[in-house]
Amino acid sequence: MVNKHYPLETRGLSVTFNAGGENEVVAFSDITFTLKADEILAIVGPSGCGKSTLFNVIAGLQPATVGEVFVNGTRVLDAKGQVGYMLQKDMLLPWRSVRENVGLGLEIKGVPKEERNAVADRLIAAYGLKGFENSKPGTLSGGMRQRVAFMRTLALDPDVILLDEPFSALDFQTRILLQGEVMDIIGKQRKSAILVTHDIGEAITMADRVMILSRRPGRVKQIVSIDLDRDERDPVKLRSNTRYQEYFQLLWSELDI
Amino acid sequence: MSWSRLRYLPGQIGLAMVVFAIWEGLVQAEVLSAHLYGYPSGIAAKVYGLLSTGELFRHAGVTAFAAILGFLLGSAIGSFAGLCLWLNETVARIVRPFIVAINGVPKIAFAPLIIVWFGIGIESKIAIAAALTFIVSLIATYNGTLETDRDLLRLMRSLGATRLQSWRKVVVPAALPWVLSTLRLNVGFALIGAVVGEYISSQEGLGYLVYYSGVLYDLNGVWAGILALMVVALLMDRGVTEIDRRLRW
């Protein structure tokens, strides 16, 4: 038994729909990988490779047919609150203020109101939405709403953050701004993250390693390390960086779309 | 009332005046029989007479009381029951065919039973209005809870919420628009309940006024009762608008 646990570790994950039935579909099989501390791991793959299903299994929203997911050594299904996730949809509750949305997870955990409001207000101020504490999500822009969703994820202080195409519904400028912010927060607070995306450029910009899945049934085809420093990872400057272009070519050919 | 709504008031009054004028003209020209159709000036005289004796207020008050109390009881209990059905899927699946069956029957068919159980007093009118609105609220609210965004419920679970927490924090507020829009429908159903109860057996109320005026071929009396019902309906609708404005998120 190894004493040191990875923030997140999967062992032989497989999901089969209608197992044994006529319409048996293997979404993906034998997915094994580890997520290191302070690392962003991107998962890319051709559409239909089971990325979303894999995300749900890693987030503990759906059990795997075979295999396990461990978060700091405990099964993900028993590790509620240690894994935060963020989707393309912000899923803010429209009848709650920004502050109440950010504090939702704490409220469920039974943290007293003053305490959770203090946490929420601190996050809101830190991430540039001061003055919007009492606003309803309906009055905010898409980028602001996604930022609130990210604060809600951070409020529970999870070790691992799962991101499922969280920027794909945003306009270009907002997307680039938020990608940078998320990278900085994850770096500064020493968290780990998994980023599921179909955007190769986003994967290279944000991730330390990129895991490429094959066509259905999805398998791990290759894991590519992205050796770029944080200050090289400016989404605009990066485009003219030759190493970025090499990574892009490599990932593109491996994806076999 | 806002100015933008008042702006259309002259047109609305004008439309009513035109309809009444044509009607009155056709009766005066003896194209329509005053006896079979009633006529505006006769209705006005009838309304004035019923107002001066205070009878119209008494009838309207009785009907409005039964309808409003039935509306409140039926809508509140029905909405709450509909929200609670979400909490237990087994119970919901067991009772669903019964609810669908009861909803399929014209619920007025139950009225004679309710009169037998609750008597010919105002209690039975309240009960009929409550029964109608209960069923409507129950079904609409339960269907509303089923429309809750599944991703939101998964988010709640991933945050460690119990089913009861998800219900209180997500399902109930998400179903609120359904509850509120059903209230508007229920104004009509509550009045149907109260008036039908009065048709079947009563000594007072607008349903009684309309029914007995009809039996006596007093068509102006029937129209006077219908006009009073419209006023009651409009006032109840205003009340619902106020509730809606206060509760909607």
Side-chain angles (χ1 to χ4, degrees), chain A residues 56 61 80-81 85 89 91 93-96 104-105 107-108 152 156, chain B residues 149 151-152 154-161 165 169-170 173-174 249:
Chain A
N56 289 340
L61 297 172
K80 288 242 155 60
Y85 70 86
K89 277 204 293 185
M91 296 191 297
L93 303 178
W95 52 86
R96 283 174 170 245
L104 180 65
E107 185 179 323
I108 289 165
R152 178 184 60 200
L156 281 177
Chain B
D149 188 338
D151 285 332
L152 274 182
R154 293 209 313 201
L155 172 76
M156 291 298 285
R157 263 195 294 140
S158 79
L159 292 172
Q165 281 178 318
K169 295 183 199 303
V170 173
W249 38 264

Side-chain angles (χ1 to χ4, degrees), chain B residues 46-231:
Chain B
K46 186 79 189 177
V47 169
Y48 180 76
L50 287 169
L51 281 175
S52 56
T53 59
E55 258 181 291
L56 198 57
F57 285 116
R58 185 169 60 85
H59 288 308
V62 167
T63 302
F65 179 75
I68 291 171
L69 203 57
F71 166 87
L72 291 175
L73 281 173
S75 303
I77 300 170
S79 301
F80 186 67
L83 290 171
C84 287
L85 268 187
W86 182 88
L87 284 171
N88 192 317
E89 210 180 325
T90 311
V91 173
R93 281 183 186 278
I94 290 171
V95 300
R96 191 175 310 166
F98 296 99
I99 295 174
V100 171
I102 291 172
N103 189 44
V105 178
K107 283 154 286 289
I108 291 305
F110 294 104
L113 290 176
I114 294 178
I115 303 265
V116 170
W117 294 335
F118 287 86
I120 59 166
I122 195 157
E123 297 86 350
S124 57
K125 284 72 181 175
I126 296 168
I128 296 170
L132 291 189
T133 51
F134 171 82
I135 291 285
V136 175
S137 274
L138 174 71
I139 292 172
T141 307
Y142 179 58
N143 285 338
T145 63
L146 296 183
E147 296 285 322
T148 314
D149 188 338
R150 299 177 72 85
D151 285 332
L152 274 182
L153 294 173
R154 293 209 313 201
L155 172 76
M156 291 298 285
R157 263 195 294 140
S158 79
L159 292 172
T162 61
R163 197 167 174 85
L164 190 62
Q165 281 178 318
S166 295
W167 183 75
R168 275 184 38 209
K169 295 183 199 303
V170 173
V171 175
V172 172
L176 192 64
W178 270 268
V179 173
L180 294 176
S181 55
T182 308
L183 291 185
R184 203 166 292 279
L185 282 177
N186 272 349
V187 167
F189 282 110
L191 278 171
I192 290 174
V195 168
V196 166
E198 287 165 358
Y199 275 8
I200 294 175
S201 123
S202 71
Q203 306 296 320
E204 54 187 354
L206 291 173
Y208 165 85
L209 176 68
V210 168
Y211 186 77
Y212 274 90
S213 302
V215 169
L216 300 172
Y217 269 85
D218 175 10
L219 274 298
N220 288 334
V222 172
W223 283 115
I226 291 172
L227 286 177
L229 276 171
M230 286 179 180
V231 173

